[in-house]
Amino acid sequence: MCHLPEPLHLSFYHQPTLQLAQSLLGKLLLKETKEGVAGGLIVETEGYIGPGDRAAHSFNHRRTKRTEIMFGEAGYTYTYSMHTHCLFNVVSGQIDAPEAVLIRGVEPYIGQELMEPRRPKAKKKREWTNGPGKLTKALGITMDDYGHALNQRPLWIAPGRSVDVSEIAAGPRIGIGNAGEAKDYPWRFWIRDNAFVSR
DNA sequence: CGGTTGATGTCCT
DNA sequence: GGACATCAACCGG
C-alpha cells in the first residue's frame, strides 16, 4: 500500500452514541501488524448506553478494570474477551458517560490475503468477518489494543465509503436475552442486504 | 480463592 | 436449532 487511508480525527466520535453507531457504517476499520495492514468496511454496529442500559457492561455505573476505558474520552478502543474470543468496541459519549459502539460485522477491503489464513475454520469468504469475534480474528485485533486511540496506527478508522440513510436498517441487539426491557431497544444498525452482516 | 458467567463460534443432528 | 468449548473478569465469602 503506497499510502494508507488517513484516520478520522477524534472529533468525529463526539456525537450521540446511536448517531455515531450509524455514522460508523461504511467507515474503514484498519489494523496494522508485522504482517501488514488489514482493513474492512463496517457494515453492522450496536450501541450500548450505560448506566441506564441493562445490556451494557457499564450498567448502573459499574466501573471496573474491564469497563474503565468506557468512562473516558470518545474515540478509544474498548476490547473485551468472552469465551475464547475478543470483541471490539468504539468508546463514545462524554467523559464519565460510559457508552460504546460494538462492531459486529465488516466487509473485507484491504489485506484480504492476511485475513484468509487467520480464519481457517471459515468455508466461505463471508464467514471471515460476519460476526464480532470473527472480524477481530481476521483483522488481528486483540486485547493488546485495549485503550488505544483510534486516530493513529496500528489501529484506526478511515472514511471508507458513503452510506445513504435509505441503506441503513435498525433492530434489536443480538445475544442479550437476559437484559430485561433493554433487549428490545432497536439499537442495532446494519447496511441492508450486505453479506457480511452477522444475521 | 473458588464458583459463576457470558455483547460467541463451531460442530452436530 | 441446540450443545458445548473454554477463560478472563467479576463477585461473594
Side-chain angles (χ1 to χ4, degrees), chain A residues 132-151:
Chain A
K134 298 177 188 178
L135 70 91
T136 54
K137 199 142 195 304
L139 295 181
I141 296 171
T142 69
M143 285 304 294
D144 291 341
D145 294 308
Y146 180 93
H148 173 79
L150 287 166
N151 62 344

Side-chain angles (χ1 to χ4, degrees), chain A residues 3 5-6 10-11 14 18 34 50 54 71 77 83 88 96 101 111 114 127 131 142 162 164 172 174 183 195:
Chain A
H3 49 271
E6 287 294 318
L10 286 182
S11 61
H14 293 179
L18 296 182
K34 58 180 187 293
R54 292 193 73 88
F71 289 80
T77 302
H83 293 81
F88 171 77
D96 290 331
V101 177
L114 300 179
E127 295 171 346
T142 69
S162 64
D164 190 86
I174 291 178
K183 77 180 181 353

Side-chain angles (χ1 to χ4, degrees), chain A residues 49 51-56 59-60 172-173 176-187:
Chain A
I49 307 183
D53 176 6
R54 292 193 73 88
F59 175 64
N60 204 18
R173 293 168 293 178
I176 54 164
N178 57 349
E181 75 286 351
K183 77 180 181 353
D184 297 320
Y185 297 170
W187 291 355

